[in-house]
Amino acid sequence: MAKLNMETIVSLCKRRGFIFQGSDIYGGIGGFWDYGPLGVELKNNIKRAWWRAMVQERDDIVGIDAAIIMNPLVWKASGHVDTFSDPLTDCKNCRHRFRADNLKGWENPEKIACPNCGMRGTLTPPRDFNLLFKTTVGPVADEGSIAYLRPETAQAMFVQYRNVQETARKKLPFGIAQQGRSFRNEIVHGDFIFRDREFEQMEMEFFCKPGTEDEWHDYWKEARLNWWKQTLNVSDEHIRIKVIRPDRTYIEGPDPDDVKEEKPPHYSKGNYDLEYLFPMGWSEIEGIASRTNFDLSAHANLSGKDLSYFDDETKEKYIPYVVEPAMGVERCFLVALIEHYREEQVKNEKRVVLKFPYALAPYKAAVFPLLRNRPELVEMARNLTRDLKTEMMATYDDTGAIGKLYRRQDEIGTPFCITVDVQSLDDHQVTIRDRDSMEQVRVDVSQVKGWLGERVR
Ligand code: GAP
């Protein structure tokens, strides 16, 4: 298929109700998006698949769900209040603002042209812009009531480390996982939902004995890469690993020469960034950081609480080291759409189909009566839909000819379409059509739920 552009995906998302501009009727608000009826299902399926792999199927990881607003000292200790910033530059002529490090030659802004108005020498020297969203807590808005919307979910896992470890009776190594909203006042949002100001993260902090962190870092790199390949069905040519060490940056996987030198974030001694080949180029979808004991030590110092671990077997006491796989739901959502979007030619007609893995598909099945003016067919189709809904997301539709209904479901990735026809009244069988092969089989109506269940589970 020809190279996909982002506009095709944006238009599909709007047309079919996956994603709408936030506050649409007021002209929107940059960096905020609303997820429609299909979008919320896809998001939930992504979150479920992650939770299943990271918590449900493991003995060594437990989950939490923490408050978004935390004591502001949390963000002081983590370094976000002092260092969570990007360089910002303004154009004195057109008043546009830019993230300076996105501009070529940004270290000397007086020498470059404004990307908006084209004037030279009008960009201000870059200044640090803190990305934390501020709010106030309680009835009086003053310095003492300032709080922040969390910019990452990770810190709650550090702050609650001791409570979780003791109540869940976990021994090292073990992990704490969380999914939830994060907020960053990004200078430049964009590439559709790739960079947002409100987004959802799925993060896991894996606590281990100092000295074992490199082994666990490699373990989580492999585990997470496999998750993308097996659960999201991402092909080998579309995913790669950027290895960011303090002394050098390199790629494992496709396009190894296409990389710039980088430094790991302030809390990390090394990162594996998983990157996906988006229409705008290779970009990060997940970071796997080796966070050392940076966070637990910082919180122990500022709170005065002992966050060390006593190892019963070796009788040693130490502050655990942490390896953190952290990803955003929205970027995964975009990968699912881009990776599985196909345009196919079927009998002189273009068919758009989202070949989602079944677990991600918003609806697993759609049921249609062949003739909507035959009440017996409508009743049988409606009863079947109702029955399927007890086990999976299913939908009923009788608003067009069968061919058109198939195309609609293909475009939103529904794996199976079921048609109730006149013969069904006699033989109690229905036709099930496969999204990918378009092949059809007849199945006894009493067996349909089991037949589908075996395939979509
Ligand atoms: N706790 C570590 C942390 O937050 P990060 O690399 O800043 O690390 C992790 O974020 C993941 O969260 C990224 O790989 C990306 O998938 C997602 N993410 C970060 N900023 C985002 C934004 N502005 N919009 C959408 N997703 C974002």
Side-chain angles (χ1 to χ4, degrees):
M1 205 176 99
K3 200 165 182 286
L4 188 62
N5 70 39
M6 195 71 99
E7 280 318 304
T8 308
I9 296 295
V10 175
S11 136
L12 170 68
C13 283
K14 178 154 194 197
R15 193 170 69 247
R16 301 313 314 274
F18 279 96
I19 301 176
F20 309 115
Q21 189 174 208
S23 319
D24 200 17
I25 60 167
Y26 289 100
I29 169 166
F32 298 88
W33 298 93
D34 294 343
Y35 289 77
L38 298 175
V40 69
E41 296 303 330
L42 176 53
K43 251 187 165 191
N44 285 342
N45 292 341
I46 289 171
K47 290 194 273 185
R48 216 171 279 132
W50 185 91
W51 196 262
R52 185 186 174 115
M54 299 297 278
V55 180
Q56 185 185 326
E57 290 179 351
R58 299 194 62 111
D59 291 330
D60 55 354
I61 303 179
V62 288
I64 62 166
D65 182 15
I68 286 173
I69 293 186
M70 305 176 75
N71 188 310
L73 290 176
V74 170
W75 307 110
K76 183 78 190 150
S78 67
H80 285 85
V81 172
D82 298 321
T83 61
F84 192 52
S85 53
D86 283 331
L88 173 74
T89 175
D90 297 274
C91 174
K92 287 183 272 188
N93 178 49
C94 68
R95 310 242 164 252
H96 261 70
R97 294 194 146 161
F98 306 95
R99 203 174 132 172
D101 56 344
N102 285 348
L103 308 178
K104 211 166 169 211
W106 69 282
E107 296 83 356
N108 302 304
E110 64 290 349
K111 292 195 183 142
I112 60 176
C114 165
N116 183 54
C117 69
M119 288 272 277
R120 223 163 251 285
T122 54
L123 294 177
T124 59
R127 63 182 194 282
D128 283 340
F129 173 76
N130 192 290
L131 306 187
L132 288 172
F133 271 108
K134 265 189 201 163
T135 184
T136 54
V137 175
V140 182
D142 60 15
E143 273 297 303
S145 62
I146 288 178
Y148 305 98
L149 302 189
R150 69 179 173 202
E152 61 172 12
T153 61
Q155 293 304 320
M157 273 88 89
F158 298 124
V159 169
Q160 295 295 359
Y161 154 75
R162 164 91 341 131
N163 281 338
V164 174
Q165 189 256 321
E166 285 177 2
T167 55
R169 288 173 290 119
K170 287 290 174 202
K171 286 191 188 310
L172 254 55
F174 82 98
I176 308 178
Q178 180 173 213
Q179 303 180 330
R181 302 261 166 175
S182 292
F183 302 82
R184 297 182 187 179
N185 197 3
E186 300 280 359
I187 297 173
V188 183
H189 60 90
D191 290 317
F192 192 28
I193 55 167
F194 180 84
R195 192 173 304 284
D196 313 306
R197 292 182 169 132
E198 174 176 347
F199 55 100
E200 282 190 82
Q201 285 187 311
M202 308 197 281
E203 301 194 284
M204 193 275 291
E205 310 303 323
F206 197 76
F207 301 90
C208 60
K209 185 175 176 181
T212 64
E213 73 276 11
D214 291 347
E215 209 178 301
W216 283 113
H217 199 202
D218 286 348
Y219 169 89
W220 282 110
K221 172 183 81 165
E222 290 305 319
R224 297 304 307 147
L225 184 65
N226 287 341
W227 185 83
W228 284 93
K229 288 186 179 179
Q230 284 160 17
T231 307
L232 265 285
N233 264 359
V234 171
S235 70
D236 291 349
E237 312 86 75
H238 294 165
I239 193 163
R240 69 180 192 179
I241 300 162
K242 181 159 71 183
V243 183
I244 310 169
R245 302 209 185 283
D247 56 336
R248 83 184 182 109
T249 306
Y250 60 93
I251 297 291
E252 290 176 0
D255 295 340
D257 299 332
D258 161 42
V259 67
K260 283 197 298 221
E261 277 302 319
E262 270 182 54
K263 291 277 167 253
H266 68 278
Y267 50 75
S268 163
K269 73 170 198 174
N271 258 47
Y272 293 124
D273 280 0
L274 301 186
E275 296 190 326
Y276 180 76
L277 186 56
F278 287 97
M280 69 278 188
W282 288 103
S283 310
E284 179 188 329
I285 49 177
E286 171 158 4
I288 300 143
S290 187
R291 293 186 77 124
T292 68
N293 59 5
F294 174 89
D295 304 270
L296 286 181
S297 299
H299 288 304
N301 285 340
L302 195 62
S303 68
K305 299 287 185 311
D306 180 8
L307 296 179
S308 60
Y309 175 81
F310 181 71
D311 190 326
D312 281 338
E313 278 164 30
T314 63
K315 310 292 176 212
E316 290 167 283
K317 195 175 167 192
Y318 49 79
I319 300 210
Y321 268 42
V322 172
V323 172
E324 173 203 66
M327 65 178 280
V329 178
E330 289 73 9
R331 291 191 189 176
C332 186
F333 190 109
L334 206 46
V335 169
L337 288 167
I338 293 169
E339 185 71 16
H340 300 297
Y341 180 95
R342 299 281 185 288
E343 286 176 9
E344 295 176 351
Q345 207 61 31
V346 183
K347 293 189 205 140
N348 296 335
E349 221 190 287
K350 185 174 91 172
R351 137 174 134 122
V352 171
V353 52
L354 285 174
K355 293 193 171 173
F356 286 143
Y358 296 164
L360 298 189
Y363 293 123
K364 310 303 178 204
V367 187
F368 322 131
L370 186 67
L371 303 166
R372 67 178 151 171
N373 56 1
R374 291 284 300 267
E376 322 89 279
L377 299 188
V378 169
E379 191 192 348
M380 193 172 170
R382 283 204 180 275
N383 285 343
L384 177 56
T385 315
R386 218 169 288 130
D387 188 34
L388 292 179
K389 275 171 174 280
T390 60
E391 281 208 7
M392 65 191 77
M393 282 300 294
T395 182
Y396 169 89
D397 197 357
D398 64 7
T399 58
I402 289 296
K404 195 163 175 190
L405 298 182
Y406 281 157
R407 295 289 174 269
R408 251 189 231 164
Q409 295 301 324
D410 288 345
E411 209 186 23
I412 62 172
T414 308
F416 298 103
C417 288
I418 304 163
T419 308
V420 176
D421 53 29
V422 178
Q423 203 188 328
S424 308
L425 298 173
D426 287 335
D427 65 8
H428 302 285
Q429 291 189 344
V430 291
T431 302
I432 305 185
R433 179 247 196 199
D434 182 291
R435 174 194 71 194
D436 301 337
S437 65
M438 293 186 283
E439 276 168 14
Q440 304 191 350
V441 288
R442 295 283 287 177
V443 175
D444 195 280
V445 73
S446 64
Q447 310 289 318
V448 172
K449 194 154 72 172
W451 190 98
L452 288 175
E454 266 173 37
R455 286 160 179 81
V456 300
R457 215 168 277 133

